[in-house]
Amino acid sequence: MTNNSVLITGGAKRIGRSTALFLASKNYDVAISYNKSANEARDLKSQIESEYGTKCLIYQCDISKKDSCLKLIKDVLTDLPDLNLLINNASIFNKSDPIEDFDDEYENNMAVHVRAPLVLGTEFAKNINSKNDTQGNIINMLDKNISRNSTQFFYYLLSKKTLDNLTKMLAMKLSPNIRVNAIAFGSVMSASLQRTLKDNAELRANIESRTPLQRIAAPSALADAAQFLASEASSFMTGEIVTVDGGRTLLDSVSVPAH
């Protein structure tokens, strides 16, 4: 048994849920934030506590609001004062155009993907440093498309590119007590994508054909990457971006299919 504990933002569904279950199976006490997914959060709490016997604490939080982020991290640190892992997973994903959608989409994406990780990360760091703990760890969730400059999701990608830079800057600023790394992922078989592909074999074949490994990742693949970045195996890594995309970025600079 360990005394490790993690806060996962947006942890009630999809990638966050899979990561929470994985880390709970490794004896982590888990805190998750959710916005509107109360039922899913309660179900996850019940599953973790019954299957793994570790704590699972859930917190409603609109991560786009600074005050809500500050309250979240304060409440989590009160309940889990030895918190040593923060996973900034909460995300929004909408099409946007820089000419048509500046105000709302810019503000929302920057708030969720940049300001929230910064606020939570710095408050997390204050707690780690106050105890002279040398085992702090932050993992940010990126997107493999940060290497691109053309997209229909303009403000989503802009904010994820900014989070990429924030990851590296915080890795410098928060060392040596805290490591900061990120996971850049490609197509993941979420419940919504599974529904989309159920009756669309052509779309599935198209996605797989543009991935050298010829398949779509299960959410557990990202949980595995998070576990690696949280483990002793990565103890000498900081400021790194681990890409989990089946080799998709290898094709971004060429125009031929994978096979």
Side-chain angles (χ1 to χ4, degrees), residues 114-238:
V114 181
R115 187 176 65 197
L118 178 59
V119 170
L120 295 173
T122 52
E123 293 300 312
F124 171 83
K126 290 176 187 177
N127 184 63
I128 292 289
N129 291 336
S130 70
K131 300 179 297 182
N132 200 29
D133 188 348
T134 61
Q135 300 299 315
N137 200 342
I138 298 174
I139 301 172
N140 295 323
M141 290 295 186
L142 297 177
D143 187 302
K144 69 95 180 169
N145 286 329
I146 57 173
S147 62
R148 298 177 54 187
N149 294 304
S150 176
T151 180
Q152 295 181 348
F153 300 84
F154 189 89
Y155 289 117
Y156 167 81
L157 188 57
L158 175 63
S159 61
K160 288 293 187 176
K161 283 173 172 281
T162 306
L163 181 57
D164 175 25
N165 285 324
L166 177 62
T167 297
K168 295 164 185 173
M169 293 177 72
L170 284 180
M172 290 292 293
K173 183 64 178 178
L174 302 184
S175 62
N177 288 349
I178 299 168
R179 297 190 297 114
V180 187
N181 295 289
I183 300 168
F185 56 88
S187 297
V188 178
M189 188 59 81
S190 63
S192 59
L193 181 58
Q194 195 166 28
R195 288 192 297 270
T196 299
L197 298 180
K198 182 179 179 181
D199 299 313
N200 196 333
E202 183 179 353
L203 177 59
R204 180 170 190 145
N206 180 262
I207 294 173
E208 292 176 345
S209 71
R210 291 183 288 126
T211 304
L213 291 185
Q214 295 283 286
R215 61 183 185 268
I216 300 170
S220 59
L222 303 186
D224 289 344
Q227 166 63 11
F228 167 69
L229 288 176
S231 72
E232 186 65 23
S234 65
S235 62
F236 204 54
M237 290 174 57
T238 194

